[in-house]
Amino acid sequence: MKKSVAVLVFALLLAAAAAMFVFQERHLIKQNPLSRELPFVSLSRAIADQSGNLYVIDNSKKTIHKLDKEGTLQYSIHSEAGRNGELFRFNDMAVDELNRLYTVRTLLDPYGLTVKSEQIVRYDAGGKLERVLFNQDYNDPKNKRYRIGGLKSPQIKQGELYFFNDEVSKVTEYRFAEGDAEPRAVYAFNLPGNKYLAEIDGITAGSIFYSARSGEIYQALADGTSRMVYPLPGLDRTRRNFPESLRLDSAGRLVFIDYNSQAISRLDPAQPYIIEELVNTAKTEASGISIPYEKTDISLSPDGGIIIVDDTQMNLRTADGTLKPSLQNARYSAGYVAYRWMFWTVAALGVLLILFAFRLIYIDLLDRRTSLLFKQAIVFIPAVAAAMVLLSTLIFNNFVSKMDEETYRELSLLAANGQNLVDGDKLEAIDSPIEYRGETFNAFRQKINTMFDNNSDSANRGFYKAVYKVENGLIYRILEDDDEMHMFNPFPMTDENSKVASEGKVMTGGWKDDTGVWNYAIAPIYNSAGNIVGVFETSKNMESLLSHRRELLQTIVRNIVGISAGLLAVLLLMTFIQLSSLRKLRRTVGDIARGNWDTAVNIRTRDEIADLGESVNTMAERIREYIGKVEALSQAYYRFVPQQFLRFLNKDTILDVELGDQVEQNMSTMIFNIRSFYMLSKRMTPEQNFNFVNSFLKRFGPYVRNNSGMINKYSGAGFMALFPGQADDALKAAIEMRREVELYNTHRANSGYRPVDIGVGLHKGPLRLGIIGEEQRLESNVISDNVNVSTILERLTEPLGASILITDSIVQSLDGSSGFQYRNLGLIQVGGMKEPLHLYDVYQGDPDTIRTLKDKTRARFEEAVTYYQVGRFYDAREAFLMVIKQNRQDKAAQLYFYICDEYFQKGTTEDWNGTLSVS
């Protein structure tokens, strides 16, 4: 369990690390790992450095890419979101000799319409943000900036940064040198009356040129005044030839885009009546390229070329006038491709780790012994969370659908009211950009803004408004909530706006781009004659609208979360309460399982668990009764088959014993018997015999068990015992039983019964214990010749005048032989055995008189035995005679004496080998 938890925690930690990495690089999710090219999706600006590297603003001004000469991507800079949902966008760039990038970063409101602030920021050569150099806030609600602010034209000259700040009626130039704390104002000039800055280029007063939003180009002079250089009276240009993307080349000439002529033109202020078309439709067709002139921008490269950017493609006109093929993609470097694969590998590993964690939780951990509360929690919490997500998704999708319907109705109504906001006759009278912010223009904007600004509800803010003029079957921009768009820029014809311009229908639709999801409605604008002279458009960014609708959705989600959490808490509480009864029941069952049979459970809840508790109590009572019977039966079994015997066979219970189970052991074998029991039993009735035998065995059996022995078999008034431990245990048991005989005889004498005597034979050697019989009748048994030796020893105790006879195998196995009293009887040849037995007479338990005499004559006796064994029968006879004189009851000495006398008188037989033959 602990190992599984450790593996789960480790897997979750790795998954969390993978998730953090994926989140930090989440912009890679939209990129196909198999693609080696990055397509341009919405270009707006491109510049080049001294080494030929390109810096492009892409992705609707949200990303800056750096490309090398071959078009390989070096790095990308991604705009982040503001703290309150605002949007950062890049609007212009410059690069110095150290390849540090300076950019105008604009902060828009959450709707992506009005400018909140602008910054000049610098990135190092690797694309990392270094610092913010200049910040400009736009807090005046009366002077709103739409889409772009007032910071314009960052340029590098001799390692110093120059840029301009459009202050509506005044323009200030700033310079930032290395080591400066902040940019310093170095030059300022006032704009001509009713003129508004569009674009500006140049650095030194007198060589600074700018375009006005009304279509003129002015030169800013050293005294702060301005001189118009385009269009001059008599110039072959109309007011529709609006100069876009104004740039000043190294020779002081002006290069700009003329949307009306669909050309890139160049003007030398010294010769203002000569305008060159550097790029036009004929030249592009001849070069096999196409420039749509819809969102076109140009910049001048250090080598004199012109970089032409148009939405999804980039073209280059070299200094010699050659147009190179369009570049529509950036190539990924090998390192970036590898990094992107690493990203997807980490993401895949994170998914696999999460799946592995789910497997651990929902298969391994749930399959283990874990708390039911934990199991319910990890099942119900994800289930409730999934249900909450599903419910929230359904609510969100329903809101989106409802909001789409509501928005389309609202936009259609607003668009249809455009003819009341815009006077068609006055719109028809607007003929050129010269009327930018003129009386008619301002009247239109004031009416439109008044109607939309009167409703300050946050859910109804963020509308994008535009007025277009229909002229000769074409549509031109007149007024928009985008300061980048100039008057009379052609607007692309679509099926929707052509139906509005030709049939007067109100059309609705939507599109999705990198700025969000938009819904729009367009409606015709009529003049007094009833002719369609314009189109009014109102659109709304649904992402911004949904951001407000989500507040209500978040409230619903919070309520769902609260209700779900409450229900989950109640469920877990009820589970906990139920589990308290189950835990009590489990403890009781555990106590019963541990053998505490008197345990009872008391559950007070009146439900199924209480019924189960009563059933457990009944079961425990039945188990107690059954266990009592089983224990009694087991004890009865152990009386027939000792537990030690089962342990020798490596069996836990008698139920495990099978026919043929056997094991070989080296043990001491004891034969214990009452002498002349047959004669004794004849004087008793059968009942008296049973009572006597049971009483006798009950008195002497414990001595065996107390000395680590076991009684293997009863035979008459005796038994066979086995001692698996030390031989000392067997000898101690024999001595103690011999002493107990004396005490037993005293009691018998007091009761008028004759005394009894015993014989004990002890021998040690290998034997085999096992189960014999047949399947329906089993019995434990010992099979060994050593058992026969012990039986013979017991039978020899009487003729040798000993109570306890032991062999030399016992003597050699004794750990404390000095603590026992015994004497050497020599080699005894027993009938029926090939080899003689080396026997010893243990007299330690004999009555005091006998024990004292044997101990006193022990040395002389053993000396005589030695004489006998070497054939010195005379010396042996004399020695045994001296023993007999001191102990006339010594049968062993008497037996040896008679044999010695016979051998001394008659001699030995041929097969005599120094043994004493006893039958």
Side-chain angles (χ1 to χ4, degrees):
M1 179 65 180
K2 292 182 178 179
K3 182 179 179 182
S4 297
V5 172
V7 172
L8 174 61
V9 172
F10 183 68
L12 290 177
L13 288 176
L14 289 179
M20 290 179 61
F21 174 76
V22 171
F23 179 77
Q24 291 174 350
E25 302 293 335
R26 58 189 178 277
H27 61 277
L28 297 175
I29 294 177
K30 297 180 179 180
Q31 298 183 13
N32 184 355
L34 299 177
S35 173
R36 292 186 172 270
E37 293 183 341
L38 172 66
F40 300 133
V41 293
S42 182
L43 294 173
S44 58
R45 184 94 167 98
I47 62 173
D49 61 17
Q50 297 291 338
S51 302
N53 298 314
L54 290 174
Y55 302 79
V56 298
I57 299 177
D58 190 20
N59 195 21
S60 294
K61 300 185 178 182
K62 291 187 289 188
T63 306
I64 297 178
H65 301 301
K66 179 183 178 181
L67 315 178
D68 64 10
K69 293 180 180 180
E70 287 73 29
T72 301
L73 181 67
Q74 302 298 301
Y75 65 72
S76 296
I77 302 172
H78 303 279
S79 65
E80 66 273 14
R83 285 179 292 182
N84 298 314
E86 297 96 339
L87 311 172
F88 279 107
R89 296 293 182 264
F90 301 110
N91 275 312
D92 208 345
M93 298 178 293
V95 62
D96 63 15
E97 295 83 353
L98 300 176
N99 291 334
R100 294 181 298 184
L101 182 68
Y102 302 80
T103 181
V104 178
R105 191 170 68 170
T106 305
L107 180 65
L108 303 176
D109 66 7
Y111 308 101
L113 295 178
T114 60
V115 179
K116 307 291 288 185
S117 66
E118 272 190 313
Q119 298 172 334
I120 301 290
V121 297
R122 184 172 71 190
Y123 297 89
D124 64 16
K128 301 297 182 182
L129 178 64
E130 279 191 346
R131 58 175 296 190
V132 176
L133 305 179
F134 186 82
N135 186 78
Q136 174 72 50
D137 293 325
Y138 299 97
N139 299 320
D140 186 3
K142 297 181 180 179
N143 188 23
K144 292 183 180 180
R145 305 279 183 140
Y146 295 97
R147 297 281 175 95
I148 61 171
L151 301 183
K152 298 180 181 296
S153 189
Q155 305 169 67
I156 301 295
K157 183 177 182 182
Q158 297 178 352
E160 296 179 337
L161 171 69
Y162 294 84
F163 63 91
F164 296 91
N165 186 12
D166 176 13
E167 302 171 9
V168 184
S169 62
K170 175 185 175 182
V171 178
T172 303
E173 182 184 15
Y174 288 86
R175 182 181 68 187
F176 179 80
E178 195 67 36
D180 289 348
E182 58 183 17
R184 295 177 296 164
V186 295
Y187 172 68
F189 63 92
N190 294 320
L191 294 172
N194 296 324
K195 299 299 176 183
Y196 300 92
L197 182 67
E199 293 166 316
I200 187 168
D201 202 358
I203 293 176
T204 307
S207 63
I208 296 174
F209 295 85
Y210 64 91
S211 62
R213 293 183 66 83
S214 52
E216 304 91 354
I217 298 177
Y218 290 89
Q219 179 182 16
L221 304 176
D223 62 357
T225 60
S226 298
R227 180 176 65 89
M228 188 171 72
V229 297
Y230 176 90
L232 298 178
L235 185 66
D236 185 19
R237 285 289 186 276
T238 68
R239 284 290 181 174
R240 300 283 180 91
N241 295 106
F242 193 98
E244 297 270 4
S245 193
L246 181 68
R247 304 289 179 253
L248 183 67
D249 67 12
S250 58
R253 296 170 297 187
L254 300 173
V255 181
F256 57 87
I257 300 173
D258 186 341
Y259 278 116
N260 190 57
S261 300
Q262 292 195 341
I264 298 175
S265 303
R266 183 167 65 190
L267 168 68
D268 187 348
Q271 297 177 324
Y273 285 96
I274 300 176
I275 298 178
E276 304 174 76
E277 287 191 348
L278 303 179
V279 179
N280 54 30
T281 303
K283 292 180 180 181
T284 56
E285 289 179 353
S287 300
I289 64 174
S290 175
I291 301 176
Y293 293 101
E294 292 180 0
K295 292 174 59 178
T296 310
D297 182 82
I298 62 172
S299 65
L300 305 180
S301 62
D303 60 2
I306 301 176
I307 303 171
I308 308 168
V309 167
D310 201 320
D311 199 18
T312 60
Q313 68 180 23
M314 186 163 43
N315 298 282
L316 175 65
R317 179 191 182 274
T318 61
D320 61 4
T322 303
L323 286 170
K324 290 190 174 182
S326 301
L327 179 64
Q328 298 177 336
N329 303 284
R331 289 190 297 273
Y332 292 123
S333 65
Y336 185 81
V337 171
Y339 183 79
R340 192 169 55 181
W341 274 111
M342 184 186 73
F343 168 84
W344 284 105
T345 301
V346 171
L349 287 176
V351 172
L352 291 176
L353 285 169
I354 292 174
L355 293 176
F356 177 69
F358 271 92
R359 181 186 180 281
L360 279 178
I361 293 174
Y362 291 100
I363 296 180
D364 290 354
L365 291 184
L366 285 182
D367 201 34
R368 293 175 179 266
R369 291 181 57 86
T370 53
S371 171
L372 182 60
L373 185 64
F374 169 75
K375 291 183 177 181
Q376 285 199 339
I378 64 175
V379 169
F380 280 108
I381 289 177
V384 171
M388 181 185 68
V389 170
L390 179 61
L391 182 59
S392 302
T393 302
L394 293 175
I395 294 175
F396 179 78
N397 292 335
N398 185 58
F399 266 106
V400 170
S401 177
K402 295 295 184 182
M403 283 187 290
D404 280 344
E405 296 176 4
E406 178 186 347
T407 302
Y408 281 131
R409 287 195 297 268
E410 183 181 19
L411 291 174
S412 299
L413 180 61
L414 291 173
N417 287 334
Q419 57 185 332
N420 299 323
L421 301 173
V422 178
D423 188 323
D425 293 333
K426 292 182 178 181
L427 175 61
E428 190 177 20
I430 295 177
D431 189 54
S432 72
I434 193 68
E435 299 183 55
Y436 176 77
R437 291 208 179 183
E439 181 179 353
T440 302
F441 183 96
N442 289 335
F444 289 167
R445 169 156 283 181
Q446 183 178 4
K447 282 186 177 182
I448 294 172
N449 288 343
T450 298
M451 190 191 81
F452 281 91
D453 291 346
N454 280 341
N455 192 344
S456 60
D457 183 2
S458 62
N460 292 305
R461 295 200 303 266
F463 285 101
Y464 184 88
K465 294 89 64 182
V467 177
Y468 306 97
K469 182 178 180 180
V470 177
E471 185 179 271
N472 299 325
L474 298 176
I475 300 178
Y476 296 93
R477 302 176 189 272
I478 300 299
L479 184 154
E480 284 191 61
D481 286 336
D482 188 349
D483 291 337
E484 282 189 298
M485 299 300 177
H486 298 152
M487 291 180 67
F488 280 94
N489 278 351
F491 190 86
M493 293 294 293
T494 64
D495 292 339
E496 287 80 8
N497 58 34
S498 62
K499 288 182 180 180
V500 174
S502 61
E503 302 176 18
K505 293 183 177 181
V506 177
M507 302 296 296
T508 60
W511 76 88
K512 182 178 181 180
D513 59 17
D514 294 306
T515 62
V517 178
W518 293 83
N519 288 348
Y520 69 88
I522 50 180
I525 299 175
Y526 296 93
N527 60 11
S528 57
N531 298 321
I532 299 174
V533 296
V535 176
F536 183 82
E537 175 191 348
T538 179
S539 58
K540 193 159 191 177
N541 189 329
M542 296 306 295
E543 289 292 332
S544 62
L545 181 62
L546 288 175
S547 66
H548 295 283
R549 292 290 192 264
R550 288 191 193 105
E551 294 179 4
L552 177 60
L553 180 60
Q554 289 172 358
T555 302
I556 296 174
V557 170
R558 282 195 296 269
N559 291 334
I560 293 174
V561 170
I563 294 171
S564 301
L567 291 175
L568 189 61
V570 171
L571 175 64
L572 293 179
L573 179 62
M574 291 298 298
T575 303
F576 179 80
I577 294 173
Q578 290 180 336
L579 285 179
S580 63
S581 299
L582 287 176
R583 283 192 293 269
K584 184 185 296 184
L585 189 60
R586 183 180 63 182
R587 285 194 299 269
T588 302
V589 173
D591 290 340
I592 294 174
R594 287 188 291 271
N596 300 326
W597 311 116
D598 294 330
T599 304
V601 62
N602 182 20
I603 298 176
R604 298 181 179 179
T605 58
R606 298 179 179 274
D607 52 21
E608 290 83 352
I609 299 178
D611 297 338
L612 183 59
E614 292 299 324
S615 299
V616 168
N617 290 335
T618 303
M619 178 188 68
E621 184 178 355
R622 297 291 185 270
I623 290 176
R624 284 194 296 270
E625 295 175 359
Y626 179 75
I627 291 298
K629 294 179 181 179
V630 170
E631 287 181 345
L633 184 60
S634 297
Q635 293 299 324
Y637 279 131
Y638 291 142
R639 293 173 187 172
F640 290 93
V641 181
Q643 288 181 302
Q644 298 98 316
F645 196 93
L646 297 178
R647 286 199 294 268
F648 292 146
L649 296 177
N650 292 322
K651 303 298 182 181
D652 293 329
T653 68
I654 197 169
L655 299 176
D656 301 325
V657 174
E658 295 180 359
L659 181 64
D661 289 340
Q662 53 182 291
V663 66
E664 185 171 309
Q665 295 282 336
N666 192 17
M667 296 185 183
S668 299
T669 307
M670 172 190 289
I671 299 297
F672 176 91
N673 257 322
I674 298 177
R675 292 175 183 168
S676 303
F677 177 68
Y678 175 71
M679 299 302 296
L680 179 64
S681 65
K682 287 180 67 176
R683 290 190 289 267
M684 294 186 291
T685 65
E687 181 179 359
Q688 289 174 334
N689 268 291
F690 270 99
N691 292 338
F692 169 76
V693 170
N694 289 335
S695 174
F696 182 83
L697 295 176
K698 179 179 180 181
R699 192 178 190 104
F700 290 92
Y703 289 102
V704 175
R705 291 188 292 273
N706 293 341
N707 287 281
S708 303
M710 68 173 180
I711 297 176
N712 180 62
K713 183 180 294 185
Y714 294 103
S715 177
F719 55 79
M720 180 179 75
L722 302 176
F723 292 86
Q726 300 294 329
D728 304 56
D729 297 333
L731 190 52
K732 287 178 182 178
I735 294 171
E736 290 173 359
M737 286 190 289
R738 181 65 185 89
R739 289 173 177 167
E740 181 64 24
V741 168
E742 294 304 310
L743 181 61
Y744 180 66
N745 283 332
T746 301
H747 293 308
R748 285 182 64 81
N750 294 335
S751 300
Y753 296 116
R754 294 182 179 183
V756 296
D757 199 3
I758 65 168
V760 179
L762 277 178
H763 178 63
K764 185 171 184 178
L767 50 80
R768 183 162 290 274
L769 299 88
I771 303 298
I772 63 172
E774 44 91 16
E775 292 297 338
Q776 299 301 318
R777 176 67 172 90
L778 303 179
E779 183 178 284
S780 62
N781 198 6
V782 177
I783 301 176
S784 174
D785 289 340
N786 296 311
V787 176
N788 297 331
V789 173
S790 300
T791 303
I792 293 172
L793 293 182
E794 186 275 325
R795 192 171 67 246
L796 292 176
T797 55
E798 186 173 2
L800 291 176
S803 297
I804 304 172
L805 283 180
I806 64 175
T807 62
D808 58 344
S809 64
I810 293 292
V811 174
Q812 293 171 6
S813 300
L814 293 174
D815 285 341
S817 58
S818 61
F820 298 99
Q821 293 177 315
Y822 56 87
R823 63 179 182 174
N824 182 10
L825 295 179
L827 295 174
I828 309 297
Q829 183 68 52
V830 182
M833 296 190 66
K834 293 182 180 180
E835 299 295 331
L837 299 173
H838 192 173
L839 303 182
Y840 293 84
D841 173 16
V842 180
Y843 53 84
Q844 186 171 343
D846 289 348
D848 292 342
T849 302
I850 298 175
R851 178 171 51 81
T852 301
L853 291 174
K854 285 186 178 182
D855 194 55
K856 184 177 180 180
T857 60
R858 172 187 171 188
R860 182 59 58 87
F861 180 87
E862 291 180 344
E863 180 185 14
V865 171
T866 303
Y867 289 153
Y868 174 81
Q869 289 176 341
V870 298
R872 295 170 58 180
F873 300 116
Y874 177 80
D875 294 333
R877 184 187 66 178
E878 294 302 318
F880 281 123
L881 181 59
M882 293 179 67
V883 171
I884 294 171
K885 286 181 179 181
Q886 290 182 317
N887 182 10
R888 296 184 179 277
Q889 297 180 2
D890 192 339
K891 291 184 179 182
Q894 293 174 3
L895 183 59
Y896 265 111
F897 174 78
Y898 291 123
I899 295 296
C900 288
D901 183 63
E902 181 179 352
Y903 286 162
F904 177 72
Q905 299 291 336
K906 299 178 180 180
T908 63
T909 60
E910 293 181 359
D911 58 351
W912 182 80
N913 56 2
T915 63
L916 176 65
S917 179
V918 180
S919 58

